[in-house]
Amino acid sequence: MNWAVLSVGTLVVFLPSAGLLAGWVPTALAHRPGPTRLLGTAGVLLYTAVLAAVLPRLLSAPAGVHSGLSYAAVGLVVIAIGLGIVYDLKQGPSSSSRK
């Protein structure tokens, strides 16, 4: 199960996020003026949180490492949510709300 989470997280979260950081803009985001690299950074942080949660289980780490990395994963998720909010604020009002 942990390997499945890691591999799906790599395909669904990390690869598109790395692409956003490299400058790739998907067609769904091409019309939005916001800085897409913030979304890429948020995605990489989410993937790092997945690694922090899964790797101690795969490596049979002690309980202290499990709990410490779990706290770190929660912190990374909070930072990623903050970056998503900053992206939303920087992109301005959506085109559907303009009249």
Side-chain angles (χ1 to χ4, degrees), residues 37-74:
R37 290 191 179 184
L38 279 176
L39 290 180
T41 305
V44 169
L45 287 174
L46 287 176
Y47 182 71
T48 306
V50 168
L51 286 177
V54 171
L55 283 180
R57 292 185 187 115
L58 289 174
L59 300 175
S60 300
V65 174
H66 278 273
S67 61
L69 287 177
S70 295
Y71 288 128
V74 170

Side-chain angles (χ1 to χ4, degrees), residues 4-83:
V5 169
L6 198 58
S7 59
V8 169
T10 301
L11 293 174
V12 175
V13 178
F14 180 70
L15 292 179
S17 299
L20 285 171
L21 284 174
W24 170 70
V25 179
T27 55
L29 295 176
H31 69 282
R32 302 177 88 172
T36 55
R37 290 191 179 184
L38 279 176
L39 290 180
T41 305
V44 169
L45 287 174
L46 287 176
Y47 182 71
T48 306
V50 168
L51 286 177
V54 171
L55 283 180
R57 292 185 187 115
L58 289 174
L59 300 175
S60 300
V65 174
H66 278 273
S67 61
L69 287 177
S70 295
Y71 288 128
V74 170
L76 290 169
V77 169
V78 169
I79 293 170
I81 290 170
L83 287 176

